Amino acid sequence: AQSVTQLGSHVSVSEGALVLLRCNYSSSVPPYLFWYVQYPNQGLQLLLKYTTGATLVKGINGFEAEFKKSETSFHLTKPSAHMSDAAEYFCAVSRGYIPTFGRGTSLIVHP
Amino acid sequence: EAGVTQFPSHSVIEKGQTVTLRCDPISGHDNLYWYRRVMGKEIKFLLHFVKESKQDESGMPNNRFLAERTGGTYSTLKVQPAELEDSGVYFCASSQDWRQGAQGGYTFGSGTRLTVV
Protein backbone atom coordinates (compact mmCIF):
# COMPACT_ATOMS: atom_id res chain seq x y z
CA ALA A 1 0.00 0.00 0.00
CA GLN A 2 1.13 3.54 -0.58
CA SER A 3 0.38 6.72 1.33
CA VAL A 4 1.27 10.38 1.28
CA THR A 5 1.78 12.75 4.20
CA GLN A 6 1.80 16.49 3.65
CA LEU A 7 3.05 18.35 6.69
CA GLY A 8 1.00 21.43 7.43
CA SER A 9 -2.48 22.05 6.12
CA HIS A 10 -1.57 25.74 5.73
CA VAL A 11 1.74 27.41 4.99
CA SER A 12 2.06 31.16 5.12
CA VAL A 13 4.94 33.08 3.54
CA SER A 14 5.72 36.65 2.61
CA GLU A 15 5.98 37.64 -1.01
CA GLY A 16 9.57 37.08 -2.11
CA ALA A 17 10.27 34.49 0.57
CA LEU A 18 11.22 30.86 0.05
CA VAL A 19 8.35 28.43 -0.39
CA LEU A 20 8.79 24.95 1.08
CA LEU A 21 5.91 22.47 1.05
CA ARG A 22 6.71 19.10 2.56
CA CYS A 23 5.68 15.71 1.29
CA ASN A 24 6.66 12.30 2.56
CA TYR A 25 5.44 9.09 1.04
CA SER A 26 5.45 5.43 1.76
CA SER A 27 5.69 2.93 -1.03
CA SER A 28 7.09 -0.56 -1.17
CA VAL A 29 8.72 0.07 -4.54
CA PRO A 30 10.09 3.18 -6.25
CA PRO A 31 7.07 5.29 -7.09
CA TYR A 32 6.04 7.97 -9.47
CA LEU A 33 5.65 11.24 -7.56
CA PHE A 34 3.63 14.29 -8.45
CA TRP A 35 2.72 17.73 -7.26
CA TYR A 36 -0.58 19.19 -8.38
CA VAL A 37 -1.84 22.72 -7.82
CA GLN A 38 -5.42 23.90 -7.56
CA TYR A 39 -6.13 27.58 -7.99
CA PRO A 40 -9.49 28.89 -6.76
CA ASN A 41 -12.42 27.70 -8.85
CA GLN A 42 -10.19 25.66 -11.12
CA GLY A 43 -9.31 22.00 -11.54
CA LEU A 44 -6.09 20.44 -10.37
CA GLN A 45 -3.21 20.86 -12.75
CA LEU A 46 0.08 19.04 -12.81
CA LEU A 47 2.92 21.18 -11.46
CA LEU A 48 5.72 18.66 -11.85
CA LYS A 49 6.45 14.96 -11.68
CA TYR A 50 9.19 12.47 -11.00
CA THR A 51 9.11 9.16 -12.83
CA THR A 52 12.71 8.11 -13.43
CA GLY A 53 16.08 9.74 -14.00
CA ALA A 54 17.17 13.04 -12.49
CA THR A 55 15.96 13.39 -8.93
CA LEU A 56 15.62 17.16 -9.09
CA VAL A 57 12.66 18.01 -11.27
CA LYS A 58 11.57 21.41 -12.42
CA GLY A 59 7.98 22.37 -12.99
CA ILE A 60 5.93 25.30 -14.08
CA ASN A 61 6.03 28.74 -12.49
CA GLY A 62 9.51 28.31 -11.02
CA PHE A 63 8.69 25.39 -8.74
CA GLU A 64 10.95 22.40 -8.30
CA ALA A 65 11.05 19.26 -6.19
CA GLU A 66 13.69 16.76 -5.26
CA PHE A 67 13.10 13.05 -4.91
CA LYS A 68 15.07 11.76 -1.93
CA LYS A 69 14.71 8.03 -1.71
CA SER A 70 16.59 7.71 1.58
CA GLU A 71 14.21 10.18 3.22
CA THR A 72 11.12 9.05 1.27
CA SER A 73 10.47 12.71 0.57
CA PHE A 74 9.47 14.87 -2.37
CA HIS A 75 9.37 18.40 -1.01
CA LEU A 76 8.27 21.26 -3.24
CA THR A 77 10.23 24.50 -3.28
CA LYS A 78 10.28 27.88 -4.95
CA PRO A 79 12.99 30.43 -4.21
CA SER A 80 10.73 33.47 -4.22
CA ALA A 81 6.99 33.42 -3.59
CA HIS A 82 4.65 35.47 -5.71
CA MET A 83 1.14 36.52 -4.81
CA SER A 84 -0.15 34.43 -7.71
CA ASP A 85 1.25 31.28 -6.06
CA ALA A 86 -1.54 31.34 -3.49
CA ALA A 87 -3.36 28.07 -4.08
CA GLU A 88 -3.76 24.58 -2.70
CA TYR A 89 -1.01 22.09 -3.44
CA PHE A 90 -1.38 18.32 -3.48
CA CYS A 91 1.38 15.75 -3.40
CA ALA A 92 0.59 12.37 -4.96
CA VAL A 93 2.31 9.02 -5.33
CA SER A 94 1.57 6.32 -7.84
CA ARG A 95 2.86 2.87 -8.46
CA GLY A 96 -0.06 1.63 -10.44
CA TYR A 97 -2.22 3.80 -12.57
CA ILE A 98 -4.27 5.50 -9.87
CA PRO A 99 -2.44 8.07 -7.74
CA THR A 100 -2.80 8.37 -3.98
CA PHE A 101 -3.11 12.00 -2.93
CA GLY A 102 -2.16 13.77 0.23
CA ARG A 103 -4.51 16.04 2.18
CA GLY A 104 -3.27 19.18 0.50
CA THR A 105 -1.46 22.27 1.74
CA SER A 106 -2.89 25.73 1.28
CA LEU A 107 -0.19 28.26 0.47
CA ILE A 108 -0.94 31.77 1.70
CA VAL A 109 1.23 34.58 0.38
CA HIS A 110 1.33 37.88 2.28
CA PRO A 111 2.31 41.15 0.60
CA GLU B 1 -9.21 22.31 -26.80
CA ALA B 2 -12.06 22.41 -24.30
CA GLY B 3 -11.20 21.12 -20.84
CA VAL B 4 -13.04 18.75 -18.57
CA THR B 5 -16.38 20.26 -17.67
CA GLN B 6 -18.34 19.47 -14.57
CA PHE B 7 -21.74 20.67 -13.49
CA PRO B 8 -23.26 21.81 -11.42
CA SER B 9 -20.40 23.65 -9.76
CA HIS B 10 -22.29 23.68 -6.50
CA SER B 11 -25.22 21.69 -5.18
CA VAL B 12 -26.98 21.91 -1.84
CA ILE B 13 -29.49 19.17 -1.13
CA GLU B 14 -31.26 17.76 1.85
CA LYS B 15 -30.43 14.43 3.37
CA GLY B 16 -32.39 11.71 1.61
CA GLN B 17 -32.62 13.51 -1.71
CA THR B 18 -31.02 12.45 -4.96
CA VAL B 19 -28.31 14.35 -6.78
CA THR B 20 -26.73 13.70 -10.15
CA LEU B 21 -23.35 15.10 -11.05
CA ARG B 22 -22.17 15.29 -14.62
CA CYS B 23 -18.74 15.25 -16.18
CA ASP B 24 -17.87 15.95 -19.80
CA PRO B 25 -14.32 14.77 -20.51
CA ILE B 26 -12.03 16.08 -23.18
CA SER B 27 -13.20 14.82 -26.55
CA GLY B 28 -11.32 11.66 -27.50
CA HIS B 29 -10.28 10.81 -23.97
CA ASP B 30 -11.31 7.21 -23.40
CA ASN B 31 -10.35 7.20 -19.73
CA LEU B 32 -12.53 9.00 -17.22
CA TYR B 33 -12.00 9.06 -13.47
CA TRP B 34 -14.07 10.22 -10.54
CA TYR B 35 -12.47 11.40 -7.31
CA ARG B 36 -13.88 12.86 -4.12
CA ARG B 37 -12.44 15.12 -1.47
CA VAL B 38 -14.15 15.34 1.86
CA MET B 39 -13.27 18.63 3.54
CA GLY B 40 -9.74 18.64 4.89
CA LYS B 41 -9.01 15.13 3.78
CA GLU B 42 -7.29 13.44 0.88
CA ILE B 43 -8.59 13.35 -2.64
CA LYS B 44 -9.78 9.79 -2.96
CA PHE B 45 -10.30 7.70 -6.05
CA LEU B 46 -13.85 6.53 -6.70
CA LEU B 47 -13.81 4.83 -10.08
CA HIS B 48 -12.35 4.63 -13.54
CA PHE B 49 -14.10 4.20 -16.89
CA VAL B 50 -12.50 3.08 -20.10
CA LYS B 51 -14.97 4.20 -22.71
CA GLU B 52 -18.31 3.01 -21.37
CA SER B 53 -16.92 0.19 -19.23
CA LYS B 54 -16.10 0.40 -15.53
CA GLN B 55 -12.45 -0.57 -15.31
CA ASP B 56 -12.09 -0.11 -11.58
CA GLU B 57 -14.80 0.88 -9.10
CA SER B 58 -12.94 -0.14 -5.97
CA GLY B 59 -13.22 3.34 -4.48
CA MET B 60 -17.00 3.64 -4.59
CA PRO B 61 -18.07 4.03 -0.96
CA ASN B 62 -21.35 2.11 -1.07
CA ASN B 63 -24.30 1.21 -3.25
CA ARG B 64 -25.88 4.63 -2.86
CA PHE B 65 -23.43 5.78 -5.51
CA LEU B 66 -24.05 4.90 -9.15
CA ALA B 67 -21.82 5.98 -11.99
CA GLU B 68 -22.59 5.63 -15.66
CA ARG B 69 -20.95 6.54 -18.91
CA THR B 70 -23.39 5.74 -21.64
CA GLY B 71 -21.85 5.77 -25.10
CA GLY B 72 -18.43 6.40 -23.68
CA THR B 73 -18.80 10.16 -23.71
CA TYR B 74 -20.02 12.08 -20.67
CA SER B 75 -20.42 10.46 -17.29
CA THR B 76 -22.88 10.90 -14.46
CA LEU B 77 -22.49 10.13 -10.79
CA LYS B 78 -25.74 9.74 -8.91
CA VAL B 79 -26.04 9.71 -5.16
CA GLN B 80 -29.32 8.27 -3.92
CA PRO B 81 -30.28 8.82 -1.17
CA ALA B 82 -27.71 11.38 -0.11
CA GLU B 83 -26.32 11.32 3.43
CA LEU B 84 -24.51 14.03 5.37
CA GLU B 85 -21.14 12.29 4.98
CA ASP B 86 -21.44 12.51 1.20
CA SER B 87 -20.65 16.21 1.35
CA GLY B 88 -17.44 17.13 -0.37
CA VAL B 89 -15.96 18.11 -3.69
CA TYR B 90 -16.33 15.61 -6.51
CA PHE B 91 -13.68 15.83 -9.18
CA CYS B 92 -13.69 14.30 -12.60
CA ALA B 93 -10.56 13.77 -14.68
CA SER B 94 -9.83 12.33 -18.08
CA SER B 95 -6.83 11.05 -19.98
CA GLN B 96 -6.25 9.77 -23.46
CA ASP B 97 -4.94 6.43 -22.24
CA TRP B 98 -4.21 4.91 -18.85
CA ARG B 99 -0.43 5.24 -19.26
CA GLN B 100 -0.79 8.97 -19.77
CA GLY B 101 -2.88 9.12 -16.64
CA ALA B 102 -0.45 7.00 -14.66
CA GLN B 103 2.29 9.52 -15.42
CA GLY B 104 0.24 12.43 -14.21
CA GLY B 105 -1.36 13.24 -17.52
CA TYR B 106 -4.84 13.74 -16.18
CA THR B 107 -6.89 16.79 -17.01
CA PHE B 108 -9.11 17.61 -14.06
CA GLY B 109 -12.39 19.43 -13.99
CA SER B 110 -12.97 22.18 -11.46
CA GLY B 111 -15.19 19.93 -9.37
CA THR B 112 -18.71 19.91 -8.00
CA ARG B 113 -19.07 21.02 -4.40
CA LEU B 114 -21.84 18.94 -2.88
CA THR B 115 -23.34 19.95 0.44
CA VAL B 116 -25.86 17.67 2.10
CA VAL B 117 -27.83 19.32 4.89
Side-chain angles (χ1 to χ4, degrees), chain B residues 20 25 32 37 39 43 49 53 55 70 73 77 83 86 88:
Chain B
T20 301
L32 186 150
R37 186 188 188 203
M39 185 179 292
I43 298 172
F49 282 101
S53 300
Q55 183 73 17
T70 307
T73 54
L77 180 64
E83 298 289 345
D86 300 333

Side-chain angles (χ1 to χ4, degrees), chain A residues 11-20 78-86 107-111:
Chain A
V11 169
S12 182
V13 300
S14 298
E15 191 173 20
L18 171 72
V19 175
L20 171 60
K78 182 174 179 178
S80 177
H82 192 272
M83 296 296 290
S84 61
D85 294 327
L107 178 64
I108 302 161
V109 183
H110 296 288

Side-chain angles (χ1 to χ4, degrees), chain A residues 2-70:
Chain A
Q2 54 199 23
S3 66
V4 176
T5 302
Q6 290 185 243
L7 294 177
S9 59
H10 295 82
V11 169
S12 182
V13 300
S14 298
E15 191 173 20
L18 171 72
V19 175
L20 171 60
L21 305 183
R22 299 178 187 273
C23 173
N24 288 86
Y25 68 91
S26 67
S27 176
S28 57
V29 293
Y32 292 165
L33 294 158
F34 311 92
W35 276 98
Y36 286 85
V37 60
Q38 185 184 20
Y39 298 103
N41 301 315
Q42 295 185 29
L44 279 75
Q45 64 182 85
L46 184 66
L47 198 56
L48 49 80
K49 66 180 179 183
Y50 169 79
T51 53
T52 58
T55 56
L56 180 64
V57 292
K58 296 185 185 297
I60 59 173
N61 301 335
F63 284 92
E64 62 183 37
E66 186 171 11
F67 168 53
K68 291 188 176 180
K69 184 178 177 181
S70 61

Side-chain angles (χ1 to χ4, degrees), chain B residues 1-65:
Chain B
E1 135 184 292
V4 175
T5 305
Q6 292 187 248
F7 48 93
S9 57
H10 294 81
S11 180
V12 180
I13 62 170
E14 292 185 352
K15 176 182 172 182
Q17 290 187 320
T18 298
V19 63
T20 301
L21 314 180
R22 173 167 167 152
C23 169
D24 287 68
I26 290 175
S27 179
H29 280 194
D30 288 341
N31 291 260
L32 186 150
Y33 312 81
W34 283 98
Y35 289 86
R36 176 175 74 170
R37 186 188 188 203
V38 172
M39 185 179 292
K41 305 248 175 154
E42 307 85 352
I43 298 172
K44 289 202 168 180
F45 167 76
L46 296 178
L47 88 159
H48 169 212
F49 282 101
V50 178
K51 297 185 179 177
E52 67 275 11
S53 300
K54 292 176 186 174
Q55 183 73 17
D56 181 351
E57 51 183 332
S58 61
M60 294 288 264
N62 52 61
N63 60 10
R64 295 185 293 102
F65 289 75

